[in-house]
Amino acid sequence: MTGSERPLGVLIISYLFPPVGGGGVPRAQKLVKYLPDFGIRPVVLAVCPPPYLQRDESRLKDLPRHVPIYRVPHPRWHLALSGLFRGGAVGKAAPGGRPEGGAPEGGSGGKPEGRTPPGAGRPAEAAPADGSAGPALPRFIRRWLRSAAMSLREVLFIPDEEIVWARRAVRAGLSAIRTHRVDVLFSTSGPVTNHLVALLIRRKTGLPWVADFRDPWTDNMHFTALPWRAALERAMERAVFRAASRVTTVTQAFREGFLARYPDAAIEVIYNGFDPEDVVRLRAEAGDLRPPDGVLRFAHTGIFYPKRHPRAFFQALHDLIADGRLRAEEVRLDFAGRFDPPGRDDNRRAAEALGLGDLIVDHGALPYGAALRLLAASTVLLLVGDLDLRAGQYIPGKLFDYLAVGRPILALLRPGEAEAIVRRLPGAYVAPPDDGAAIRAVLERLVDDWRAGRLAAGIDVLREPAFEPYRRDRQAAAFAALFRQVVSEASSRS
């Protein structure tokens, strides 16, 4: 920032924000951390975390102490219904109508706060992780209720379940703008409800707006909807692209896809990435985190679901063990995150059927720092991409964590930007996620390299110029420049 530039205020609209954990959080979290270094004052509009969202209190340590955060609760009726959507019994709001802290249920919502200290705002009695509460109903009743609830959600909650948060969020966002000097709006999805909140605030205030898409909306490989709903969501998407001053996204393929539908839109790519401070901190700990000698330890972080699963890898690993290329006692498989989708056990059953069940350690959801340490204590990092033919357009967020850790990567990916990044690494091990023969061949090469001591370490991402665009501080600088640009353009038009 030059001496003539005054600090700008940005309202960051991000439903997912610490202490919420998971892969959708770091984009906004790291922006809030680094934007003040570039003369931007962030104000945050986020959800008051409902009981069913993963929590990671450690992420709060990243936040500047005096950033205003407006936390907006869900309506109480939605918290009650959420248990059905997630396969539990009918849920209820946290005690006292304060779901995970924030404004009272009967109040206006969106009470501002400074940085929340770890553990603050937790209800005295935590609700179950799936949002359920009370005694369990018989299984057939729960299945019927969940089926009915899912059908209801498909019809009522458009574009996503978080739309029930939008009305209160708009009200809280306008309150934030009245209280703090805000020059520009920034919304980041998913959920795409964030963009609808920003659209309504823009219409009421006229403020310039940057809409950030971490994934496509209606062209998403996971997008399925009834025809009338798909048409409605496409209309919502058009409204966002027409109203936003700029659109940002995280891969070149996403940008090209958006431009094919909205050729007049101003769209820029600002990648996801890694925080250099996390890399330095991890390196300070990594000396004690080496995998034990004689153990080939694979680690994977993140979630699996029907279109992304490790079963082809399991089969290839089983075949190598059956052929005597590898002994079972030499292998360990660590999984952190979600090993099977809720209500499913396909991955677990597949591993057990192949005799691999005893090799697997399912760590569940881990705090971010603990997940990084698990990766650092591994021999090889397993990256499993989606099976969809369009999956090459995506760069999994976990790839940047893997790069930061610096261990060899076994990447099961469709051709695309993520695969190209992995192939820059020494000794890259890459195969399509559903090609059993290719996975076996690359796994054989990996095992041979491991036995011969030839497994190559990863690239030092802090020294390689090619990885500069993936640094969180560089990305914050790019956003800061973009915010100043759209504010300047808006001022010149007024």
Side-chain angles (χ1 to χ4, degrees), residues 353-374:
L354 293 169
L356 304 178
D358 292 340
L359 311 184
I360 291 174
V361 179
D362 181 0
H363 297 266
L366 293 177
Y368 182 65
L372 287 181
R373 290 190 291 274
L374 177 69

Side-chain angles (χ1 to χ4, degrees), residues 249-304:
T249 191
V250 297
T251 76
Q252 294 293 340
F254 289 173
R255 179 178 183 271
E256 293 167 6
F258 285 135
L259 284 174
R261 293 192 304 284
Y262 309 107
D264 297 330
I267 305 174
E268 300 186 20
V269 175
I270 300 179
Y271 291 97
N272 273 320
F274 59 88
D275 185 340
E277 290 189 359
D278 291 338
V279 177
V280 172
R281 187 180 307 113
L282 184 66
R283 287 177 179 174
E285 302 173 351
D288 299 327
L289 296 175
R290 301 291 174 181
D293 292 338
V295 176
L296 181 55
R297 186 173 180 179
F298 293 88
H300 178 279
T301 59
I303 64 173
F304 291 124

Side-chain angles (χ1 to χ4, degrees), residues 17-19 25-37 42 56-67 69 115-116 118 274-279 281 368-369 372 472:
F17 196 76
V25 175
R27 183 79 157 181
Q29 170 197 348
K30 299 298 184 178
L31 263 184
V32 170
K33 174 182 178 178
Y34 282 113
L35 279 177
D37 294 344
D56 184 353
E57 306 287 346
S58 68
R59 292 188 183 271
L60 293 166
K61 298 175 183 178
D62 255 351
L63 306 182
R65 187 163 297 276
H66 300 298
V67 171
I69 303 175
R115 194 187 78 177
T116 309
F274 59 88
D275 185 340
E277 290 189 359
D278 291 338
V279 177
R281 187 180 307 113
Y368 182 65
L372 287 181
R472 293 290 187 185

